Amino acid sequence: MTCIQGGAEIHFLESGLAFEAFDLSTESEKTRYSHARVTVSEEAGKLMAQKAKDAEPVEVRIADTVQNRYLYPEESLEIHRDNGRFRLYDARKILERGVVTEHFEEVNVGEVTDFIFENRDDPHNVLTGIRAVNKALLEQEKQDAEEDIVEAIHGSGSDAARSGWKGVINDGLGLTADFLGFMGRTQGMPHNTYKGLEFDDISPNDALKMVEEEFGFTSWVDDDGILWLGLPAMKPKNRHAVSGLPTDKAYCMKEYNVVKGAHPVSVVKVNGETHWFGGNVDGNVWNGGDPSDELYPMAEAWVEDENGDVAGGKVITTEEPLKIWDLDSLEDAARNMLISSSVDYRNGSIIFNGMASEQKEKLASMTVGDIIMVADYVEGHCNQAAEGGSYIVSSIQHKFSPRRGWSITVEVGSIPRNIQTMAVYYNASDDVGYKSLKAYYDDRRGRGRREERR
């Protein structure tokens, strides 16, 4: 069945069914599972009851563009006298099926997440693979972002002078370069390491949540079924250049209520697993040794203001030590937690008219983590205070029906421009912090030789 131009279709990828949606609403949010509610014809509902397969992958397409990949739960189907209604769930929900039990000693994130993925119950391949955002991808993403942003600005279709774009171009390029740049300097997944981890008859989904909470990252599924690990803003699907002019046909805005504001969280402090270090010099760790050799892994991430000082804001400290002893891994965790807290802060919302916009494909595929750049023109065309700038999509809702049209409501957050981090092994007895085990051992040997000379 072919939908009208700019319409919505539901495609079942295993059974091969495809229907036009009479009514569609979807919601995606960084901290929650995506979901969709769909209304189709009564005939389509009856055909689904006969042929659709439980837990098969489904694509929602708007304007002939994949909006998202979902999981179909057959128990959600309801057939009424004049229509059929059903729900679609986030593709990650397939991980709620199955059980994992395993104890790991020292292990890296990649090994754990591969184990989780391999033990899922996914008969129709809702998930097709698993990948982590690494340094190579971040570098490529940085290059692609700069090219895409410039191309988007030049192709915006605005007849106005380009001066209104100047600030947002610099802001967008700067935000992208800074964010991807400092993420690219980290050790990054899948090499972050744990020190002790146990799964005891839990679902693969609960196991993945444990890993995410420990390292401060999240997961999402792309249109091809790949389960990604990282932060959505590390690998945005699109960059959107919005002029803000009332005559803009590329992105037709119905409402714009965004201000830059301040970041409520400015510092994150985390502690790792404490260990006693004995007389070894090769970096291996074991329990035992002199209690005075007990080291506390500690890491901190903070927002730096324009004067080089710690920006004002809330300080977050983890209540329990993370199951991490490696400093690079602990530093990554602190940084990820600060970024997640910053993006969670809402700067406001934008509502687009999908039917009236030329960029239907980009609006249809807009997702959490996308970058939206709004030119300074918007400040002169709003009835209330509003600011242009570069923002990160933190949630998005689509509402579509042939009668009421297609609206896209986007909530946006922002990433602080300058994030700094540090991590040390802290020796409480000497009140000294060491940036590496080598520094600790060198200091320990030096003190031993000084004591011998006495």
Side-chain angles (χ1 to χ4, degrees):
M1 182 179 293
T2 302
C3 63
I4 61 173
Q5 184 179 4
E9 285 185 329
I10 315 300
H11 287 251
F12 292 75
L13 303 184
E14 184 71 15
S15 59
L17 300 173
F19 306 108
E20 180 182 345
F22 288 176
D23 195 87
L24 169 69
S25 64
T26 76
E27 184 170 355
S28 300
E29 188 171 346
K30 174 178 163 291
T31 56
R32 297 181 181 179
Y33 290 115
S34 301
H35 64 270
R37 296 179 181 273
V38 187
T39 301
V40 295
S41 68
E42 179 187 3
E43 178 186 2
K46 290 179 178 178
L47 193 56
M48 285 176 57
Q50 296 173 5
K51 296 187 175 182
K53 298 181 179 180
D54 184 42
E56 72 169 287
V58 175
E59 286 181 350
V60 169
R61 300 180 188 177
I62 304 176
D64 297 324
T65 302
V66 176
Q67 181 268 327
N68 207 350
R69 184 183 181 99
Y70 295 93
L71 162 73
Y72 168 64
E74 64 178 4
E75 71 273 9
S76 72
L77 177 63
E78 299 176 356
I79 300 176
H80 302 278
R81 186 171 59 183
D82 57 353
N83 61 44
R85 298 177 184 176
F86 59 96
R87 296 188 302 275
L88 298 173
Y89 293 153
D90 194 307
R92 291 177 296 170
K93 297 275 280 185
I94 194 66
L95 294 174
E96 292 183 348
R97 305 184 180 209
V99 176
V100 295
T101 298
E102 187 66 41
H103 175 76
F104 298 94
E105 290 295 337
E106 185 176 330
V107 64
N108 65 44
V109 173
E111 293 168 333
V112 176
T113 52
D114 283 348
F115 171 82
I116 294 170
F117 184 80
E118 290 164 2
N119 283 275
R120 75 195 191 284
D121 181 10
D122 184 8
H124 304 303
N125 292 319
V126 174
L127 304 180
T128 58
I130 183 169
R131 293 188 68 183
V133 179
N134 56 29
K135 288 185 178 182
L137 282 171
L138 284 168
E139 182 58 35
Q140 183 60 51
E141 189 64 36
K142 181 178 177 180
Q143 295 177 18
D144 292 346
E146 293 174 352
E147 294 173 3
D148 287 355
I149 290 169
V150 173
E151 181 180 351
I153 298 296
H154 289 168
S156 65
S158 171
D159 294 328
R162 295 294 176 187
S163 59
W165 279 113
K166 184 177 180 181
V168 74
I169 292 175
N170 292 334
D171 193 24
L173 289 172
L175 173 69
T176 303
D178 288 352
F179 176 65
L180 296 175
F182 64 65
M183 291 309 300
R185 291 196 300 269
T186 70
Q187 176 175 267
M189 294 181 299
H191 307 294
N192 289 141
T193 54
Y194 273 110
K195 186 62 179 179
L197 182 66
E198 186 168 354
F199 301 142
D200 186 13
D201 289 333
I202 61 175
S203 70
N205 189 60
D206 287 339
L208 182 59
K209 284 183 178 178
M210 288 176 61
V211 181
E212 292 177 356
E213 291 172 0
E214 205 72 28
F215 284 98
F217 64 83
T218 187
S219 59
W220 67 96
V221 179
D222 68 15
D223 297 341
D224 297 320
I226 302 297
L227 178 65
W228 284 93
L229 308 174
L231 295 175
M234 293 177 179
K235 197 178 184 302
K237 197 172 183 180
N238 296 294
R239 293 106 188 161
H240 308 268
V242 180
S243 74
L245 288 168
T247 56
D248 186 1
K249 295 180 181 179
Y251 291 88
C252 182
M253 289 192 301
K254 295 171 66 176
E255 294 183 22
Y256 184 85
N257 306 290
V258 181
V259 294
K260 292 180 180 178
H263 293 278
V265 177
S266 62
V267 180
V268 169
K269 298 180 179 181
V270 298
N271 295 321
E273 288 284 349
T274 301
H275 287 277
W276 288 350
F277 288 74
N280 61 312
V281 294
D282 58 2
N284 291 323
V285 182
W286 72 87
N287 288 326
D290 187 338
S292 66
D293 290 331
E294 190 171 15
L295 299 181
Y296 300 82
M298 305 170 66
E300 186 172 325
W302 66 94
V303 179
E304 190 175 80
D305 65 19
E306 60 274 10
N307 297 319
D309 300 322
V310 177
K314 184 179 179 181
V315 178
I316 294 179
T317 304
T318 54
E319 295 182 2
E320 298 292 333
L322 303 180
K323 295 182 182 299
I324 306 170
W325 68 270
D326 173 69
L327 288 190
D328 286 340
S329 301
L330 196 64
E331 193 170 351
D332 280 356
R335 179 187 292 104
N336 289 345
M337 290 178 188
L338 178 57
I339 292 170
S340 293
S341 298
S342 298
V343 175
D344 287 345
Y345 175 70
R346 300 291 192 265
N347 288 97
S349 63
I350 309 171
I351 301 178
F352 296 99
N353 183 336
M355 289 296 193
S357 299
E358 294 175 349
Q359 290 285 2
K360 289 181 174 60
E361 292 80 7
K362 279 202 167 186
L363 284 171
S365 61
M366 184 184 289
T367 189
V368 172
D370 278 10
I371 295 175
I372 296 182
M373 299 165 293
V374 182
D376 296 337
Y377 300 125
V378 73
E379 298 174 14
H381 295 277
C382 291
N383 295 324
Q384 56 187 24
E387 295 178 299
S390 295
Y391 303 98
I392 303 294
V393 174
S394 52
S395 76
I396 180 168
Q397 299 178 34
H398 290 270
K399 291 187 177 181
F400 172 88
S401 76
R403 298 181 303 277
R404 294 189 297 271
W406 171 27
S407 67
I408 305 99
T409 301
V410 183
E411 291 191 342
V412 296
S414 56
I415 295 175
R417 175 60 56 83
N418 196 357
I419 293 180
Q420 301 295 322
T421 60
M422 60 84 69
V424 297
Y425 289 112
Y426 178 66
N427 188 331
S429 61
D430 297 326
D431 192 25
V432 176
Y434 300 94
K435 292 186 177 181
S436 67
L437 292 181
K438 182 178 184 301
Y440 163 71
Y441 289 129
D442 288 346
D443 182 65
R444 196 169 183 271
R445 289 194 192 95
R447 280 187 290 170
R449 286 193 291 269
R450 287 193 295 271
E451 290 174 0
E452 289 176 1
R453 287 196 293 270
R454 293 175 186 173

